[in-house]
Amino acid sequence: MEAPLKLWGGRFQEGPSETFQRFSWSLHFDRRLFEADIAGSKAWARALARAGVLTRPEAETICAALDRVPPPPPDAPDEDVHTYVIRMLGELAGGLASRLHTGRSRNEQVSLDTRLWLRGEIDRIAGLLRGLMGALLGQADAHVSTVIPGYTHLRRAQPVTWAHYLLAYFEMFWRDHERLAQTRQRVNRMPLGSGALAGAGFPIDREALARELGFDGITANSMDVSADRDWALDFLSAASLLMMHLSRLAEDWILYSSDEFGWLELSDGVTSGSSLMPQKKNPDSLELIRGKCGRVFGCFTSLFMTMKGLPLTYNRDMQEDKEPLFEAADQTAASLEMARAVVETARLRPEAARRAAAEGWLVATDLAEALARSGVPFHDAHRLVGRLVLESLRQGRQPQDWTGEELHAFDPRFTPEMARLLEPEEGLKTRAVPGGAAPQTVSAALEEARRRLESLS
Ligand code: ARG
């Protein structure tokens, strides 16, 4: 194969060694920036025409040729996608190609291309996230007052409703969506005109370039452009948080759908069997989401470590930014799609969930608060209900095994009508503060969530 085009070489007496070429080439992964590189190169050609470096017809010839450059084939010999595009342009537009790079550096080109690509990925991921949020609301719809056990320390704590639980995740994903939107603002600044590090030596209209490429504005410092990738880390951090939320939802649902909990049913379509044990229905989709979360954290850590301690401005270390970015975007998008399918098809078993909430003294707090409402100091009420629970454990009694009279006989500070609170639905009704689990509050919160979600699209 003939020696590949290089965008440098004049000051060298020997070419790069085979080992170094293999080690440093990035086309096999940065090929994903191909479309962005074409768009950026066309805009740059027009900017050069506006600056008087190229004539208008020359710029248009270059643009037409760029439109005809095919995506890099797997065996393309070029160092990176930018070099590939210039070589192909040379084949299609002849000598003009070597004028396109006037005033331009790959250091800013790689920033531009990655920003363009990432902007699209953020939009794709935000869309998938809205889909998942919609699925959570769909699942919540029928369950505003369906009682489930709420947990702390993975021990049954207080009754809540299934809709209230689902809305908790809605809030987490809402903030993830905000973080993506904020990240997009920082990504969407146009870096071209920064040169290698010191700014272009030609009168480039950077604002016009920004408009043409759909950016919100231009970057403010050429050295910053060459040196930093914090906007990529913003994305990796937002993606990591989003994956953390997905992973916790996955963990919850793996537990809730187990025989030990037994009040959530995952659909056949998102579970798999065992090659040996015929009875198994395994929650592999959720386990994979949990597993992929680890990979995305790894991507974040990887670029974080790469950037730490680099001297200003560009260093080749920064070529290592792309693979973690690509991987994090792919894994996050795939996990969101999977999570949505799980949420849309899962079925709550309301009777089993209620049974889990009615047994195990989740109503103890409701009872203590009723005593407090009747004038018993809370600490005394807490101690009294604690004694009732201890006695019940000794006798193997559940809350509903007690009558009002028996409660009163246990301690006269219990009034017989407090027995009502031994049903989980009763105490729930008292939690009507904004953000609380009372069904009427949850119903309003659900409506509000729907309104908020609609405002996003
Ligand atoms: N492939 C390089 C990267 O991804 C492009 C920039 C090369 N610049 C340089 N000075 N070698 O970072």
Side-chain angles (χ1 to χ4, degrees):
M1 184 182 300
E2 120 195 35
L5 172 94
K6 287 197 305 301
L7 297 177
W8 43 274
R11 62 99 58 227
F12 290 81
Q13 289 177 325
E14 286 172 23
S17 75
E18 165 76 27
T19 306
F20 173 58
Q21 289 193 31
R22 247 187 300 112
F23 185 64
S24 63
W25 285 9
S26 57
L27 184 60
H28 62 282
F29 57 83
D30 68 18
R31 56 191 303 121
R32 276 183 81 161
L33 301 178
F34 170 70
E35 280 172 24
D37 203 75
I38 295 287
S41 295
K42 284 165 67 181
W44 185 249
R46 295 193 172 117
L48 286 178
R50 281 193 292 269
V53 175
L54 294 174
T55 65
R56 247 173 217 293
E58 283 172 337
E60 286 318 309
T61 305
I62 288 179
C63 288
L66 283 167
D67 277 334
R68 285 189 288 126
V69 174
D75 60 347
D78 311 277
E79 175 182 330
D80 59 20
V81 68
H82 325 293
T83 315
Y84 165 79
V85 169
I86 292 287
R87 176 173 66 82
M88 292 305 292
L89 184 65
E91 287 181 16
L92 294 164
L96 262 186
S98 51
R99 308 181 97 217
L100 176 62
H101 214 56
T102 314
R104 184 173 74 159
S105 157
R106 277 182 299 162
N107 296 352
E108 57 183 336
Q109 226 182 323
V110 76
S111 173
L112 176 89
D113 293 2
T114 313
R115 286 169 192 262
L116 282 173
W117 171 83
L118 185 54
R119 186 173 80 183
E121 288 300 295
I122 289 173
D123 292 345
R124 180 165 78 103
I125 288 170
L128 291 167
L129 184 54
R130 290 194 294 275
L132 173 62
M133 288 159 89
L136 286 170
L137 299 187
Q139 173 74 230
D141 246 352
H143 294 294
V144 164
S145 43
T146 308
V147 177
I148 64 157
Y151 301 87
T152 64
H153 312 268
L154 198 55
R155 302 287 184 272
R156 292 185 212 175
Q158 287 185 280
V160 291
T161 72
W162 184 227
H164 195 54
Y165 166 90
L166 294 165
L167 284 172
Y169 277 104
F170 179 89
E171 292 303 325
M172 297 178 221
F173 293 132
W174 173 268
R175 291 192 296 277
D176 289 324
H177 198 276
E178 279 180 344
R179 270 184 283 272
L180 286 172
Q182 288 156 1
T183 299
R184 194 189 198 282
Q185 284 175 13
R186 283 190 282 271
V187 168
N188 207 27
R189 296 268 141 192
M190 206 290 300
L192 290 186
S194 299
L197 76 159
F202 300 85
I204 298 297
D205 183 344
R206 299 190 60 215
E207 296 285 355
L209 262 174
R211 279 193 299 279
E212 186 173 342
L213 290 167
F215 284 94
D216 295 331
I218 61 172
T219 54
N221 181 291
S222 60
M223 295 182 78
D224 175 41
V225 164
S226 243
D228 207 6
R229 291 291 181 270
D230 62 353
W231 43 271
L233 285 164
D234 272 342
F235 169 73
L236 290 169
S237 153
S240 296
L241 278 170
L242 167 48
M243 287 302 295
M244 178 192 76
H245 291 146
L246 282 179
S247 158
R248 293 187 70 177
L249 181 119
E251 172 68 7
D252 276 353
W253 290 32
I254 289 167
L255 289 170
Y256 299 165
S257 61
S258 69
D259 290 337
E260 281 69 20
F261 284 71
W263 46 264
L264 188 65
E265 178 77 30
L266 302 176
S267 69
D268 286 2
V270 300
T271 47
S272 43
S274 157
S275 59
L276 178 65
M277 301 166 281
Q279 86 283 11
K280 295 278 267 165
K281 180 177 177 185
N282 294 326
D284 295 30
S285 52
L286 293 170
E287 291 165 335
L288 281 165
I289 289 174
R290 199 174 53 185
K292 285 169 189 296
C293 171
R295 281 175 74 177
V296 174
F297 284 12
C299 294
F300 175 55
T301 316
S302 158
L303 183 56
F304 221 16
M305 291 300 112
T306 298
M307 296 307 295
K308 171 188 166 299
L310 290 187
L312 252 55
T313 54
Y314 178 84
N315 300 269
R316 191 67 178 270
D317 316 43
M318 290 159 70
Q319 179 169 292
E320 301 295 316
D321 64 352
K322 278 170 279 301
E323 282 166 299
L325 265 184
F326 295 161
E327 167 152 336
D330 289 346
Q331 299 303 335
T332 305
S335 301
L336 280 168
E337 219 180 315
M338 188 71 257
R340 177 181 180 163
V342 172
V343 169
E344 277 175 346
T345 57
R347 248 182 0 88
L348 188 79
R349 294 206 190 96
E351 319 75 43
R354 190 192 182 280
R355 204 174 320 120
E359 292 171 358
W361 287 97
L362 290 86
V363 295
T365 309
D366 300 334
L367 216 48
E369 289 184 353
L371 288 165
R373 252 176 247 119
S374 75
V376 181
F378 186 75
H379 277 144
D380 299 344
H382 190 285
R383 204 170 315 117
L384 172 52
V385 177
R387 279 204 296 112
L388 178 73
V389 171
L390 185 62
E391 183 56 28
S392 303
L393 291 176
R394 274 198 197 113
Q395 298 180 17
R397 291 173 91 175
Q398 290 297 337
Q400 51 289 359
D401 298 333
W402 289 84
T403 65
E405 288 63 39
E406 285 172 321
L407 277 185
H408 190 64
F410 181 83
D411 190 296
R413 286 172 289 182
F414 285 122
T415 61
E417 67 89 34
M418 283 180 190
R420 193 171 57 74
L421 287 152
L422 298 171
E423 303 293 334
E425 287 78 7
E426 282 304 305
L428 256 185
K429 290 184 197 154
T430 66
R431 315 206 169 276
V433 290
Q440 66 272 28
T441 310
V442 172
S443 169
L446 181 57
E447 222 168 278
E448 177 65 9
R450 205 172 287 290
R451 202 191 49 70
R452 284 158 64 196
L453 182 58
E454 271 159 24
S455 80
L456 290 181
S457 35

